[in-house]
Amino acid sequence: MLMRVLAPLAVAIQARVPVLLWGPPGTGKSSSVLALGRALGVPVEVVIASIREPADFAGLPVPDGVFCLNGQQIRSVHLAPPAWAVRLAQAGRGILFLDEISTAPPAVQAALLRVILDRVVGDLSLPPGVAVAAAANPPEQAAGGWDLAAPLANRFCHLTWGLDASAWADGMLRGWPAPEVPRLPEGWETDVPAARALVASFIRARPHLLLQVPREESRAGGAWPSPRTWDMAARLLAACAAAQAEEDVEAILLAGCVGEGPAHEFLRWRRELDLPDPEELLAAPESFQLPPRGDQQYAVLAAVVAAAVREPVKRDRLAAAWRVIDAARQQGGGDIAAWAVGPLAEASSRVGYVAPEARHFRPLLQQAEVK
Amino acid sequence: MLPEPLQAARLQLAAQRPYLAAALWALVPVERPGLGTLAADRWWRLYFDPAVCSAWTVEQLAGALYHKVCHLLRAHPERAEAIPAEAAAWNLAADAEINDDLYREGVSLPGQPVTPATLGQPEKLLAEEYYFALLRAQQSAPRQGASAQPPQGDGGAPEAGGSPDQGDGQRAGPQAAAKGDDPAGDAAESAQDGAPSSAAGRGGEEEASSPSPTTEGGGHADGAQEDAGGGAPPPQPGTPSASEAGDDGGSTPSSSSAQAGDASGRSGAPSGPAPGPVSGSAGGRDGIPSSAGAQAPAPGAGRCGSCAHGQREPWEDPAPSEGGAPGLSRAEGEIVRRQVAEAIRIAAASDSRGTIPGYWKRWAEEKLRPRVNWRRELAALIRHAAADAAGAADYSYRRPSRRQAASEAILPALRQPVPEVAVVVDTSGSVSDAMLAQALAEVAGVLRACGLRQSVHVLAVDAQVHTCRRVFRPKQVRLAGGGGTDMGAGIEAALRLRPRPQVVIVLTDGYTPWPAEPPRGVRVVVGIIEGSKISAPSWARVVEVKSDG
């Protein structure tokens, strides 16, 4: 969908995380980046990587004059940057758009590494306001295409460029509107440390997700988790929060950095962070408020039950848990409460505790023909 | 807050299929009085009519709920978008994909569920396959089915569209009539198929006119009752034998509903191109446009709402971001899917009695560890091996760069040596010819894309080398041999070729000894065809070639 990738693309470009658009030829990747540049009011330099040489990115060697060092005459060479790099450096900001990088020969891809990550072209450093975006055709669609080398792939946030037929048809009829994109406010980078802390504590809980180099050759050219991509992900998380982007935008960007599986694992972990503490609920069952959403209701109730039945089982904790469960039923979460109550009922009968609330569930259980 | 019967249905479903719990709890209930049924949208919002909740049995509610959750878990809205698909036809296709599985499990669904048999298609296909089959059927038989049975189709559509105030009862009646009569016409044409098809077809008709909501066709029974109140008479039941089929379907859904599906499948298959698709094309052209004009959903019967096709229906709220009731975003939906997949994987590990349907296990496996497309993987391996061996378009000073004139520095030019490639094909008896041909064709395609047209040898090998040719068209490869297997001999023979190949691609089923030492100065890519990976040397790059079925 056209609009679906555009918002993540805009966030990534403003956050200056290198972004790579995967998509078939002729689907408007370049024109969308140009439109984005107009919308953000920054210049765009389009460089087609597949017709360039390594020297265009590593700098063209130009001999300088002769100079004297320790009595020896030495000729030196400097690496002259090409014109597009000079223009970007003069503007101080802008988007460098590298088109067709997957069809560039491996030697050119290697030279691109330094441009993309360090923003250095020859002897010229691009100013920090320059963002790098790239586009690639999937190898099976490209003429003489290569999969992206794993080191290069791992320096990008990968976005899949799709098309929305109805949006396209609208555009054909009414012209292409300037895209409405989320804007990053000034000073958004102050949030980056907090996002990094969040990512760090996630990795502490799931250390195996820090680095997973794909075994398959065809996947190494995509998004996979590594310390570098998690760092990019943290930056994008902060950017999304600052731009008040929708959760889908965030999910697309995260999946583009670290791959789909780890991204969703992270989102799920983060969602469960802000649920109430089960111990507090056991201490004050009457304070229980049923969360608005079913999955949260289940998570909270399951956590309360798990805390109550933890050894050593105490009757007052069981009673408190029953009160929470019953409050959930009264507030409209009867089925979820009945589902979560299993271990609690078991523990209660084990210690011979008869909960007065249990009978409230009987009609529902009978109707559902469960036990 | 959910009414109690719906809570009971959700609880029952969770108790029967604990692995779906995460998806069930994630549904966001939205009360919609007067809807006449259950519906869900792509944001996981569950629309329910309190009146229906007390009219349907808990089993039927659970069945409808299960159907909705299947749409959402199988990502039907996203898949429709990817095609992009036309909503009505896609909805039928998606229903068919789900309902054949549900029938096998004995789930009871309200109304007249769409099955592959209704579309005249075999079971166990994907929604995409049904969808394109539907489109083909619609294109290839324009208006033929309509002229065959004009009274039902033409009478039904305007009536339903013209009286929106009477709700879905109006629509359900004519549609049931059209569908019920259709196979009956079939039966008249072919006597030997008459029995099963009329049983299936009139069974539905019987249900539609039956006043009891406990039969399988409860939703339509409901509609038919309203229908009668509204003045339009319900269709008359057919022969008495049909009522047996209807009763069976109601009392023991687990066995007989599967039979009913089979029966109509049999009736559809042998009746040839003209009558076969009639039920399908009638559904697509006459039945469905009439329902598309109506304002009410029909769960499982080709009108499920945006949980199936992703486009907003008149009874649905706007998207959560546009002021509708809160729902699940795309990302959250994906999280739920993964949660369910993990639950299935955990449950499947200790599922010795086979209580989890096989398709759920496959779905979970696919979700958590997507299968690598062997074509892609093989192509990537060959490309890399060829590129490495060739020194991959490197820069050389042997010929000066064309930019030399513009610069004082000495610049290298791009040179790309072309590597020699040998393909060793295992022709021992254990390899299936069809898979071998596919794999060979794939290799040929990749090599051609890499610009390697001339310098490829193909060796047919079992225990010894039989043929060695310098051509490369899969059809020209003579697959001689057929005895024991030794791929080591094949690799050695390949290395004796002059010029010596730098890349050797081996296609085998894996039942072969390998050399213990890696062959020197050559990259080896091994494609294991449909083998259980008996052996593959650690020094080679290996890809498993599996049939796509």
Side-chain angles (χ1 to χ4, degrees):
Chain A
M1 216 156 105
L2 215 58
M3 296 307 135
R4 227 163 78 74
V5 193
L6 215 50
L9 176 65
V11 172
I13 281 180
Q14 292 175 81
R16 291 189 299 282
V17 170
V19 57
L20 174 59
L21 300 171
W22 286 100
T27 48
K29 299 188 289 290
S30 317
S31 53
S32 294
V33 171
L34 288 171
L36 203 59
R38 278 196 302 277
L40 298 173
V42 295
V44 181
E45 287 289 341
V46 179
V47 180
I48 298 185
S50 58
I51 56 166
R52 300 282 175 155
E53 308 182 354
D56 290 329
F57 301 104
L60 292 153
V62 176
D64 291 335
V66 179
F67 66 100
C68 232
L69 184 70
N70 299 334
Q72 279 186 313
Q73 294 223 321
I74 293 180
R75 263 193 105 177
S76 84
V77 162
H78 78 265
L79 298 172
W84 53 262
V86 175
R87 283 197 295 270
L88 279 174
Q90 281 169 344
R93 67 212 181 105
I95 303 172
L96 169 60
F97 183 57
L98 303 163
D99 207 353
E100 293 185 23
I101 66 164
S102 64
T103 37
V108 174
Q109 291 190 7
L112 276 172
L113 284 180
R114 208 162 139 68
V115 179
I116 288 159
L117 203 69
D118 303 335
R119 297 206 189 86
V120 173
V121 185
D123 287 339
L124 176 76
S125 293
L126 295 175
V130 173
V132 181
N137 304 325
E140 56 268 26
Q141 283 167 351
W146 312 87
D147 287 293
L148 229 49
L152 186 57
N154 199 239
R155 283 169 164 82
F156 277 113
C157 171
H158 298 251
L159 300 180
T160 306
W161 191 259
L163 270 182
D164 178 355
S166 60
W168 188 85
D170 278 355
M172 273 307 263
L173 285 173
R174 289 172 213 152
W176 308 98
E180 288 264 327
V181 292
R183 295 298 186 99
L184 285 190
E186 288 292 317
W188 64 275
E189 274 169 313
T190 50
D191 296 342
V192 173
R196 292 168 74 111
L198 194 67
V199 168
S201 54
F202 171 72
I203 291 297
R204 201 167 292 135
R206 311 261 197 296
H208 65 283
L209 288 179
L210 177 59
L211 178 66
Q212 287 182 343
V213 184
R215 277 180 300 134
E216 292 91 8
E217 203 87 41
S218 52
R219 277 199 204 156
W224 40 274
S226 76
R228 181 189 292 124
T229 51
W230 276 116
D231 195 38
M232 282 160 38
R235 202 174 158 80
L236 288 170
L237 278 177
C240 283
Q244 297 178 330
E246 287 173 28
E247 191 176 15
D248 279 348
V249 172
E250 204 176 61
I252 289 173
L253 285 170
L254 270 185
C257 290
V258 298
E260 219 162 86
H264 285 112
E265 181 91 24
F266 174 81
L267 290 175
R268 192 165 119 199
W269 171 84
R270 193 184 62 178
R271 210 169 48 165
E272 282 168 12
L273 278 185
D274 46 348
L275 290 176
D277 182 9
E279 290 301 330
E280 279 172 26
L281 285 176
L282 284 177
E286 64 284 351
S287 71
F288 176 76
Q289 280 292 327
L290 195 65
R293 289 172 38 159
D295 48 349
Q296 293 170 332
Q297 295 168 7
Y298 178 68
V300 171
L301 294 177
V304 167
V305 167
V309 302
R310 204 172 294 138
E311 296 290 341
V313 180
K314 293 207 184 88
R315 277 166 170 260
D316 55 332
R317 283 170 71 84
L318 289 181
W322 273 105
R323 276 207 290 286
V324 171
I325 290 282
D326 196 49
R329 180 190 64 79
Q330 284 170 10
Q331 293 173 32
D335 48 352
I336 297 178
W339 178 251
V341 84
L344 185 62
E346 202 176 286
S348 302
S349 68
R350 207 168 50 233
V351 299
Y353 171 73
V354 181
E357 293 87 358
R359 66 191 159 83
H360 296 313
F361 285 95
R362 224 159 280 152
L364 184 65
L365 292 174
Q366 273 167 3
Q367 210 175 351
E369 294 168 22
V370 179
K371 321 180 241 233
Chain B
M1 170 168 171
L2 282 174
E4 199 145 284
L6 203 49
Q7 287 194 16
R10 192 152 77 148
L11 185 58
Q12 186 182 61
L13 197 52
Q16 285 165 355
R17 303 168 203 282
Y19 44 90
L20 293 183
L24 293 172
W25 308 145
L27 290 169
V28 183
V30 177
E31 192 170 323
R32 188 98 342 152
L35 185 66
T37 181
L38 282 185
D41 69 9
R42 62 175 310 169
W43 318 103
W44 294 69
R45 290 178 295 200
L46 177 73
Y47 302 93
F48 63 92
D49 182 352
V52 162
C53 292
S54 38
W56 291 5
T57 65
V58 169
E59 281 77 22
Q60 284 174 336
L61 287 171
L65 210 52
Y66 188 19
H67 181 92
K68 302 286 162 210
V69 167
C70 284
H71 274 308
L72 291 166
L73 285 178
R74 297 182 190 201
H76 280 156
E78 286 82 0
R79 283 161 61 189
E81 232 163 50
I83 289 184
E86 188 266 319
W90 172 262
N91 201 154
L92 286 174
D95 278 350
E97 181 195 277
I98 293 176
N99 286 349
D100 58 345
D101 289 330
L102 298 201
Y103 268 135
R104 271 196 296 279
E105 287 178 58
V107 174
S108 95
L109 283 171
Q112 284 208 307
V114 175
T115 61
T118 352
L119 308 182
Q121 290 292 318
E123 293 193 349
K124 293 192 181 181
L125 299 186
L126 292 175
E128 282 81 357
E129 294 170 280
Y130 291 131
Y131 175 71
F132 288 113
L134 263 177
L135 289 194
R136 275 197 301 277
Q138 282 179 10
Q139 280 161 7
S140 66
R143 306 311 300 167
Q144 202 178 353
S147 60
Q149 28 98 25
Q152 290 85 12
D154 294 351
E159 202 178 306
S163 55
D165 54 324
Q166 288 180 350
D168 73 317
Q170 277 295 58
R171 187 199 50 75
Q175 195 191 9
K179 287 204 168 181
D181 276 8
D182 224 346
D186 250 359
E189 281 179 49
S190 53
Q192 71 271 39
D193 296 331
S197 72
S198 69
R202 296 201 191 122
E205 203 175 299
E206 164 70 15
E207 282 155 21
S209 62
S210 156
S212 156
T214 54
T215 60
E216 225 189 308
H220 280 275
D222 209 34
Q225 275 176 305
E226 282 179 32
D227 216 4
Q236 291 305 309
T239 56
S241 71
S243 71
E244 281 174 31
D247 287 345
D248 269 4
S251 54
T252 55
S254 60
S255 59
S256 70
S257 58
Q259 279 167 12
D262 282 349
S264 47
R266 265 183 268 125
S267 78
S271 45
V278 162
S279 55
S281 57
R285 213 169 40 244
D286 296 313
I288 292 321
S290 79
S291 74
Q295 296 294 303
R303 188 114 165 116
C304 293
S306 65
C307 68
H309 51 65
Q311 291 166 28
R312 194 182 151 203
E313 293 278 10
W315 62 83
E316 289 175 3
D317 266 6
S321 57
E322 292 160 16
L328 267 66
S329 67
R330 228 173 236 268
E332 288 169 316
E334 191 54 35
I335 292 174
V336 172
R337 272 179 219 124
R338 278 171 188 275
Q339 259 175 309
V340 171
E342 268 161 37
I344 290 174
R345 185 153 72 172
I346 291 166
S350 59
D351 179 39
S352 52
R353 289 178 301 145
T355 47
I356 304 176
Y359 69 88
W360 276 127
K361 291 183 195 165
R362 283 192 297 277
W363 173 83
E365 207 49 42
E366 182 77 11
K367 186 94 236 160
L368 297 175
R369 210 178 308 122
R371 202 155 41 137
V372 180
N373 181 341
W374 64 265
R375 291 191 171 83
R376 256 201 98 177
E377 183 66 13
L378 188 66
L381 282 179
I382 293 174
R383 267 199 303 268
H384 275 249
D388 285 358
D394 220 340
Y395 285 81
S396 152
Y397 287 93
R398 271 196 228 161
R399 227 167 61 180
S401 166
R402 275 171 293 185
R403 291 178 171 186
Q404 188 65 60
S407 154
E408 283 183 42
I410 299 163
L411 300 175
L414 201 58
R415 306 279 294 143
Q416 181 167 29
V418 176
E420 289 286 325
V421 177
V423 182
V424 175
V425 181
D426 181 349
T427 55
S428 63
S430 48
V431 180
S432 112
D433 278 354
M435 282 309 294
L436 201 57
Q438 269 192 45
L440 258 179
E442 210 62 35
V443 171
V446 175
L447 291 178
R448 201 159 37 234
C450 294
L452 300 171
R453 210 182 277 266
Q454 299 303 317
S455 46
V456 178
H457 281 90
V458 180
L459 292 85
V461 177
D462 46 25
Q464 48 190 320
V465 181
H466 283 277
T467 57
C468 175
R469 315 184 61 162
R470 228 185 136 76
V471 282
F472 203 163
R473 255 212 235 122
K475 279 179 195 149
Q476 290 177 7
V477 176
R478 261 201 25 246
L479 298 178
T485 319
D486 185 3
M487 287 299 110
I491 296 175
E492 271 173 37
L495 294 185
R496 279 197 301 272
L497 293 171
R498 290 293 174 268
R500 193 172 185 272
Q502 288 121 318
V503 177
V504 174
I505 301 166
V506 184
L507 298 175
T508 173
D509 60 355
Y511 292 89
T512 168
W514 297 96
E517 291 291 311
R520 302 181 67 178
V522 64
R523 284 168 181 76
V524 181
V525 174
V526 177
I528 303 267
I529 296 172
E530 274 192 337
S532 41
K533 209 163 189 174
I534 305 304
S535 72
S538 57
W539 39 262
R541 308 303 305 266
V542 181
V543 57
E544 280 182 75
V545 178
K546 286 183 190 145
S547 81
D548 302 321

